[in-house]
């Protein structure tokens, strides 16, 4: 009876370089992303509650 053994190894290396000029842009982008995410989540929650009210 044959036995098959599979193995997948993924190796990654993450390097981050911080630059003073892009740091402020990154903070602004991150803040904008957080706000967009928050608004999207709020909208999705409110839509889900609206749908539940009409189910009988």
């Amino acid at each position: 009876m044959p036995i098959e053994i599979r193995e997948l190894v993924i190796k990654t290396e993450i390097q981050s370089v911080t630059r003073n000029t892009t740091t402020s842009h990154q903070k602004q982008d991150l803040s904008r992303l957080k706000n967009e995410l928050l608004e999207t989540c709020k909208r999705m929650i409110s839509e889900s509650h609206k749908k539940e009210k009409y189910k009988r």
Side-chain angles (χ1 to χ4, degrees):
M1 178 175 195
I3 299 176
E4 183 178 339
I5 300 175
R6 294 183 180 188
E7 183 177 341
L8 176 63
V9 177
I10 300 174
K11 294 182 180 182
T12 61
E13 183 176 332
I14 299 174
Q15 296 179 354
S16 56
V17 179
T18 57
R19 296 180 186 159
N20 292 334
T21 58
T22 61
T23 304
S24 64
H25 292 292
Q26 288 175 352
K27 286 181 182 178
Q28 290 174 353
D29 290 342
L30 185 60
S31 176
R32 188 179 318 131
L33 178 63
K34 285 179 182 179
N35 288 332
E36 288 179 13
L37 182 62
L38 182 63
E39 291 301 317
T40 303
C41 289
K42 286 179 178 179
R43 181 180 49 81
M44 290 175 70
I45 291 171
S46 74
E47 287 176 357
S48 70
H49 286 297
K50 287 179 183 177
K51 290 178 182 178
E52 289 177 8
K53 290 180 181 177
Y54 293 110
K55 290 183 181 178
R56 295 177 190 218

